Amino acid sequence: MSNREKVLVTGAGGFIGHHLVRYLKKLGHWVRGVDLEYPEYSKTEADEFEILDLRRWDNCLQATRGVEHVYALAADMGGMGFISANHARILHNNALINFHTLEAARTNGVQRYLYTSSACIYP
């Protein structure tokens, strides 16, 4: 990426997501972070941070507007007890997040999309 690209990080409130936001900012990029909640352990360094439920199509369109690159880290997840008891729920929610975000990125002309899986993939 050349300097000052407009980037979206979904799951930016999570452990990896908030570190990725920090890294991208150090590289000089403009960053929008999106999650269901703000980062738990430190203030976000994103230029813009939106609380959005990415299971909803309209929120995915909003999140991907005006960006050139998407780093897709958002996922419904939890500890092993939650995962074991909620396989279908997790599959449903993550499928919605991933399908809607990918299609919204295509609709909004995003140039690059990086999908990263979740730990919730292993059940």
Side-chain angles (χ1 to χ4, degrees), residues 11-14 34-40 49-52:
V34 171
D35 208 314
L36 282 174
E37 57 190 39
Y38 289 102
E40 186 174 350
F49 196 99
E50 297 181 328
I51 302 295
L52 295 172

Side-chain angles (χ1 to χ4, degrees), residues 5 9 21 33 43-44 50 56 59 63 65 68 70 73-74 84 86 94-95 110 114 116 122:
E5 300 273 339
V9 176
V21 167
K43 186 177 182 222
T44 184
E50 297 181 328
R56 294 182 42 148
N59 288 342
R65 76 196 183 284
E68 298 157 291
V70 173
L73 281 67
S84 296
N86 294 283
N94 288 342
V110 170
L114 176 69
T116 62
Y122 56 77

Side-chain angles (χ1 to χ4, degrees), residues 1 4 7-8 12 15 22 28 67 74 81 84-85 92 105 120 123:
M1 290 188 304
R4 211 56 184 158
V7 179
L8 166 66
F15 179 75
R22 181 179 299 142
V67 298
S84 296
H92 177 262
C120 289

Side-chain angles (χ1 to χ4, degrees), residues 108-120:
N108 280 329
V110 170
Q111 297 168 7
R112 289 182 183 246
Y113 186 99
L114 176 69
Y115 168 75
T116 62
S117 186
S118 160
C120 289

Side-chain angles (χ1 to χ4, degrees), residues 17-98:
H18 91 270
H19 285 291
L20 179 58
V21 167
R22 181 179 299 142
Y23 174 74
L24 292 167
K25 288 298 300 170
K26 285 181 183 176
L27 292 178
H29 303 298
W30 183 94
V31 179
R32 175 182 299 133
V34 171
D35 208 314
L36 282 174
E37 57 190 39
Y38 289 102
E40 186 174 350
Y41 300 106
S42 65
K43 186 177 182 222
T44 184
E45 294 183 29
D47 296 284
E48 190 175 280
F49 196 99
E50 297 181 328
I51 302 295
L52 295 172
D53 184 344
L54 296 178
R55 294 172 296 182
R56 294 182 42 148
W57 167 246
D58 57 329
N59 288 342
C60 292
L61 283 172
Q62 179 178 335
T64 58
R65 76 196 183 284
V67 298
E68 298 157 291
H69 299 257
V70 173
Y71 290 85
L73 281 67
D76 185 4
M77 57 178 287
M80 198 57 220
F82 173 78
I83 294 167
S84 296
N86 294 283
H87 289 212
R89 175 182 164 187
I90 291 168
L91 174 64
H92 177 262
N93 289 343
N94 288 342
L96 287 175
I97 291 167
N98 296 327

